[in-house]
Amino acid sequence: MADLSVNFAGIRAPNPFWLASAPPTNSGAQIHRAFEHGWGGAVWKTIGAPVLNISNRYAGLSIAGQRLLAINNVELISDRPLDVNLREIAEIKRLWPDRAVIVSAMVDASPEAWREIVMMIEDTGADGIELNYGCPQGMSERGMGAAVGQVPEMCELNTHWVTSVTRLPVIVKLTPNVTRITEPAHAAIAGGANALSLINTINSVMSVDLDTLQITPNIGGRGTHGGYAGPAVKPIALNMLTELLTDPQVLRSGVPVCGMGGIVTWKDAAEFLLLGAGAVQVCTAAMHYGYRIVEDMIDGLSNWMDDKGFATIADVSGRALPQVSTFGELDLGYQAVARIDPDKCIQCNLCYVACNDTAHQCIDLVAGNGVRVDPGYDVRVNGKAVADTRPTPVVREPDCVGCALCANVCPVDGCITMVSVPGTQQSVSWDALTAQRPEIASSWDAMMAYRAEQGIEIH
C-alpha cells in the first residue's frame, strides 16, 4: 500500500487530509470524533479576539436540485472562551499524539497581542500555528483577517511578530481577495513563515430572495457580504495554488503549501497534490456529509497511488506542475476536433444548440436518411413523421475549431470526445511568433497576411 503520511513544515500526520479551521473544528469533542474516523490533522477553529456571532450564518448555492455547490458564511472566529479552547487543544494533542493539531489564531495587529496568544498556544503542545489572514467578514472590519492579508506590509509585519517569538512551525493562511496572490505570499515568507495555506473564503453576496426581497442569509431583515466556499471554488483555488508554486520567489524559499477550497472527494485532493500541495484541508464537504467522508478519501487516494505506482505523497506532489504554462507559450498549431459517438448519443441536441447559437456553427443535425435537417421541423418520410429518423448531431470537422463547448454541455459521459488531429498550420507559440514577426500583434493587415500564408480560415 502507498504511504500516505506527510511531513509538512515539520508537522507530521498519518495522511494529508486535514480539517480546515471552521465549524467542524470548533471543539475538542468534534475533533476527537473526526480523528476516530481517520482525519490526519485538524486546524482548530480560529481563536483570539472576543466576538459575538449572529444567526442566520449560512446561505447555500443549489443548482438543478444539487445542494450546497457552494456555501456563504457570515460566521466569525470561535466564540468559545479562550481558556476552554486552550484546555481542549491540550487534551486532544495528549489523546492523539500522532495527529497534526494546528491552532488557527487571529488577534489585534500588535506585537503584544501576538506574543500573548502564541505563548498560550505553545503551552498546549500543539504542533503548529496557522495565522488567519483571510477571514473576509466581521473581523476584517476590525483590522484583522483579510485586512492584514490584503496589505503585504501588514502581512509581513504580523508574521514577523509571531515567528520571532515561537519555535513552532508558522503557517500563513492567505486570502484570495487580492489581485495577485503572490504578493502576500512573498510578504509572509519575508516575515519568516514556515508554510503557506490557501485559499480562504471569497468575498460574496449569495443571493436575494425574490419573494421577500431579502438578501440571504437574512439576519433580522438585513444582510451582508460573507465568505464563499465549497465545490464551486475549486478551480479558483487550483489556479492560485499554481500561481504560488510556479512563482520563482516562492520556489526559492522552499516553503510548502497546504491546499484547500472545494475539496469533496479524494480525486479533488489528488488534483491539489499534483499541483504541488503538501497537504490539503477540507471544510464544506465535512459540513455537508460528515466526518466519515475521510474514509473514502483515504481509500480512494491510496488505491489510485497504487495504480499509478506512487509510493509516497512526495511522489505525487507537484507532478503536474511542469505542464503549467502561460498562454504565450502554448502551441498555436495544435489542433483538436470534436467527435460524437452515435452509439452513445441520446439525440438531445444540446451540442447542436450550444454550437449553433454560441460557438462556431459546425454541428449539423442529420436525419436517418443522411439528409441535413432544420431543427424545429418534423423529419418526414413519405409525408409521415417517423421516430427512427430523429436527427443526429454530426460535426463538420473541417470547420471545427476545437473549442470543446459541445463536449462540456453533453450530458452523456464519453459521448463527445476531443480528438487530436494533424495540424495544418505552423507549430509555434504566440511569444515565438511575435518575436519573429512583431507586426502581427499590432496590425490586422499583417495578421491577415500570416493567416493567408498558413491557410487559416476563420468562418
Side-chain angles (χ1 to χ4, degrees):
M1 285 183 62
D3 178 5
L4 299 189
S5 65
V6 295
N7 182 344
F8 182 83
I11 301 171
R12 297 183 180 275
N15 63 62
F17 300 110
W18 301 354
L19 285 168
S21 170
T25 61
N26 189 51
S27 70
Q30 289 171 276
I31 294 177
H32 180 77
R33 191 159 62 252
F35 285 170
E36 287 181 323
H37 280 282
W39 290 92
V43 184
W44 208 276
K45 184 170 170 62
T46 306
I47 63 173
V51 299
L52 286 172
N53 272 301
I54 48 81
S55 61
N56 301 306
R57 301 180 189 179
Y58 306 126
L61 176 66
S62 301
I63 297 178
Q66 189 169 348
R67 305 285 288 179
L68 222 58
L69 289 173
I71 189 171
N72 169 289
N73 88 87
V74 290
E75 182 164 301
L76 303 181
I77 65 175
S78 177
D79 53 11
R80 303 169 75 233
L82 192 57
D83 62 324
V84 173
N85 275 312
L86 293 167
R87 183 174 66 250
E88 292 182 6
I89 292 166
E91 179 67 7
I92 286 296
K93 189 57 196 176
R94 184 185 68 81
L95 292 171
W96 296 93
D98 68 324
R99 306 304 167 93
V101 178
I102 299 156
V103 181
S104 175
M106 180 193 297
V107 294
D108 291 327
S110 76
E112 296 78 16
W114 278 116
R115 180 181 177 84
E116 181 181 14
I117 195 73
V118 166
M119 294 302 101
M120 293 178 183
I121 293 171
E122 282 194 344
D123 288 343
T124 67
D127 298 299
I129 303 172
E130 185 177 80
L131 307 184
N132 184 345
Y133 294 165
C135 190
Q137 77 283 343
M139 306 309 293
S140 55
E141 289 89 333
R142 293 168 57 178
M144 294 174 270
V148 174
Q150 290 171 328
V151 182
E153 295 80 5
M154 290 296 293
C155 182
E156 179 179 349
L157 185 60
N158 279 258
T159 304
H160 173 71
W161 286 337
V162 174
T163 58
S164 63
V165 296
T166 185
R167 291 173 295 177
L168 289 177
V170 175
I171 306 167
V172 170
K173 188 172 186 178
L174 301 175
T175 175
N177 301 301
V178 292
T179 303
R180 292 186 61 82
I181 194 65
T182 51
E183 293 182 5
H186 296 164
I189 293 167
N194 304 106
L196 304 171
S197 62
L198 84 167
I199 59 174
N200 208 316
T201 54
I202 302 168
N203 224 352
S204 64
V205 172
M206 183 58 86
S207 63
V208 179
D209 188 304
L210 298 185
D211 292 324
T212 65
L213 312 187
Q214 295 289 331
I215 294 172
T216 53
N218 180 349
I219 305 155
R222 290 181 176 271
T224 187
H225 65 95
Y228 187 73
V233 310
K234 188 182 82 169
I236 299 169
L238 290 176
N239 175 62
M240 290 191 168
L241 179 66
T242 59
E243 285 189 56
L244 284 192
L245 290 172
T246 56
D247 177 77
Q249 190 169 332
V250 173
L251 292 174
R252 283 195 300 271
S253 74
V255 300
V257 180
C258 188
M260 72 193 88
I263 296 173
V264 178
T265 69
W266 70 265
K267 293 181 180 179
D268 300 322
E271 292 179 45
F272 278 82
L273 295 172
L274 286 167
L275 288 173
V280 296
Q281 295 182 30
V282 179
C283 173
T284 306
M287 295 174 73
H288 195 177
Y289 301 110
Y291 296 134
R292 62 186 174 83
I293 61 171
V294 75
E295 298 166 9
D296 289 336
M297 290 180 171
I298 291 170
D299 288 345
L301 183 64
S302 179
N303 291 336
W304 173 78
M305 288 174 62
D306 289 342
D307 289 344
K308 293 293 184 182
F310 296 132
T312 67
I313 295 298
D315 293 337
V316 179
S317 183
R319 286 296 290 266
L321 277 177
Q323 303 172 46
V324 177
S325 179
T326 65
F327 181 88
E329 297 169 330
L330 300 176
D331 183 2
L332 295 171
Y334 173 76
Q335 184 61 51
V337 297
R339 291 206 177 138
I340 302 172
D341 184 341
D343 293 330
K344 293 183 178 179
C345 180
I346 60 174
Q347 299 172 311
C348 67
N349 298 338
L350 283 174
C351 60
Y352 171 83
V353 173
C355 184
N356 195 50
D357 286 356
T358 65
H360 296 277
Q361 300 80 48
C362 62
I363 296 180
D364 297 325
L365 293 180
V366 178
N369 58 4
V371 176
R372 178 180 171 182
V373 299
D374 188 3
Y377 293 88
D378 288 338
V379 179
R380 296 178 179 273
V381 176
N382 296 326
K384 295 182 179 180
V386 290
D388 61 359
T389 58
R390 179 171 178 147
T392 298
V394 176
V395 178
R396 295 194 316 278
E397 290 191 9
D399 292 332
C400 178
V401 302
C403 74
L405 176 61
C406 58
N408 281 282
V409 301
C410 179
V412 180
D413 288 341
C415 179
I416 303 180
T417 54
M418 301 306 298
V419 180
S420 297
V421 296
T424 58
Q425 66 187 77
Q426 179 185 11
S427 178
V428 64
S429 70
W430 175 258
D431 287 349
L433 177 61
T434 53
Q436 298 165 7
R437 301 172 65 169
E439 69 278 5
I440 287 176
S442 57
S443 166
W444 268 107
D445 289 339
M447 173 62 78
M448 297 308 292
Y450 176 76
R451 289 183 179 180
E453 291 172 19
Q454 296 294 317
I456 301 171
E457 295 184 9
I458 307 296
H459 75 284

